[in-house]
Amino acid sequence: MSEFPIPMLSRRHFIALGAAAPALGLASQAQAMAPQLGAQTIDARRFKLGAFEVTTLLAGARTVPDPQTIFGMNVGEDDFAKASASANIPTDAAQFFFTPTLVNTGVDLVLFDTGLNPEGISAAVAAAGYSPDDVDIVVVTHMHGDHIGGLMGDAGATFPNARYVTGAVEFDHWAAAGNDGFNAKMAPLAEQTTMLTPGDAVLSGIEAVEAFGHTPGHMAYRLDSDGQSLLIAADFANHYVWSLGYPDWEVKFDMDKSAAAATRKSLLGMLAAEKMPFIGYHMPFPALGYIEARDAGFQYVPHSYQLLM
């Protein structure tokens, strides 16, 4: 029995309370309703990986119609619809995320990729508590516009104190291709750029991993610190269902589609076997998760709290 007896209220008491509600300041639901503010996303998500501090940055997002013009180009409409329905996602639109990554090693601040434009990446870096001036190294995984777009603008280099790192095969391909985006964004930084091959290190604990196919010299980067590992995967898999679940499905933006499919199966198999977390540039923000083998493909398992403890 309660130490403080609860008084019994009659129907008359409830009627009296209802009549008194306006006087007590209890406005109607319509009067008290707060305005709707629209969808909200967090621009930066930070976690520890051994001695490293890793922050994923939302540098932009975009809704794209007719996703089967991009993913699953070699399968029928019914197969695409069935796969989408099983994952509870629509077939008429897809949400793209653009997620560069900051890694603070305790000595250097390293940025992987730069988003669509200087304004977007500068705002994302600021949301993480840094300034573009703080960035020591910019690593470019490949030369598509949504990865190099933030390197330079009308004011010049976005990261004035940084040096740059990219794959030699990738740089040489685009330098020979006469690409306008490359010529405007990456070529002016050539003298400040170090060229890597797979297996080379950006710094101790950050190693280049061959992931060719999406572009001729596309690279992922493996982080290792105090016994913990993570793969910065960039674009070897571009969608958490249509690329991961069905690695043989062709993707419009993969320049060598058979090589890209082979890379997907190899790296996704490695991630699943090692239970290694990864950051996918176009995965649902904060773009951090794990891979599990499933049937003939793989399944994306979003990070919950594993790296926050």
Side-chain angles (χ1 to χ4, degrees):
M1 180 174 292
S2 172
E3 183 178 354
F4 302 100
I6 299 174
M8 297 298 291
L9 296 179
S10 69
R11 181 173 177 272
R12 184 179 60 195
H13 287 106
F14 284 112
I15 293 173
L17 282 172
L24 295 172
L26 302 176
S28 69
Q29 183 178 1
Q31 292 172 313
M33 185 178 294
Q36 294 182 343
L37 300 179
Q40 182 183 35
T41 55
I42 299 170
D43 293 333
R45 183 69 60 84
R46 182 176 294 116
F47 59 93
K48 292 285 287 184
L49 187 84
F52 292 172
E53 197 172 68
V54 182
T55 309
T56 61
L57 308 174
L58 185 60
R62 178 183 297 164
T63 301
V64 178
D66 301 320
Q68 203 183 355
T69 63
I70 302 173
F71 301 99
M73 299 172 66
N74 57 331
V75 301
E77 185 176 338
D78 289 346
D79 289 336
F80 186 81
K82 182 179 178 180
S84 302
S86 67
N88 297 309
I89 54 176
T91 58
D92 61 346
Q95 184 75 5
F96 275 60
F97 302 86
F98 303 89
T99 311
T101 300
L102 277 171
V103 177
N104 191 331
T105 69
V107 177
D108 293 290
L109 185 64
V110 185
L111 174 66
F112 291 82
D113 291 330
T114 67
L116 295 155
N117 50 60
E119 296 76 19
I121 189 61
S122 296
V125 168
Y130 297 105
S131 160
D133 292 352
D134 296 326
V135 175
D136 298 300
I137 302 170
V138 176
V139 179
V140 178
T141 62
H142 64 292
M143 305 296 172
H144 279 165
D146 56 328
H147 294 257
I148 65 172
L151 284 171
M152 297 193 72
D154 293 339
T158 307
F159 307 98
N161 300 320
R163 63 182 180 90
Y164 302 85
V165 175
T166 196
V169 172
E170 183 75 359
F171 187 96
D172 291 346
H173 167 81
W174 292 102
N179 178 270
D180 289 344
F182 173 89
N183 291 340
K185 301 287 187 173
M186 189 77 233
L189 303 170
E191 292 186 2
Q192 299 156 257
T193 302
T194 299
M195 307 296 174
L196 300 184
T197 57
D200 289 346
V202 177
L203 297 167
S204 178
I206 304 178
E207 179 183 324
V209 176
E210 181 177 326
F212 298 173
H214 180 64
T215 59
H218 179 281
M219 292 238 254
Y221 288 85
R222 177 172 177 144
L223 309 182
D224 290 288
S225 179
D226 291 349
Q228 292 186 277
S229 301
L230 176 143
L231 188 72
I232 295 178
D235 280 15
F236 86 80
N238 290 97
H239 192 273
Y240 78 107
V241 174
W242 300 318
S243 293
L244 272 60
Y246 308 90
D248 285 316
W249 282 13
E250 291 184 355
V251 180
K252 176 181 179 179
F253 301 117
D254 289 344
M255 296 175 68
D256 185 331
K257 292 176 174 46
S258 61
T263 290
R264 272 193 291 279
K265 288 184 280 190
S266 174
L267 290 182
L268 290 171
M270 180 270 291
L271 290 170
E274 296 191 24
K275 299 185 183 299
M276 184 192 303
F278 79 108
I279 296 168
Y281 193 78
H282 296 295
M283 296 297 117
F285 194 78
L288 175 64
Y290 296 83
I291 295 296
E292 292 180 353
R294 186 192 65 177
D295 302 327
F298 301 87
Q299 181 172 343
Y300 180 61
V301 181
H303 172 266
S304 55
Y305 55 78
Q306 297 93 330
L307 297 173
L308 301 179
M309 302 174 69

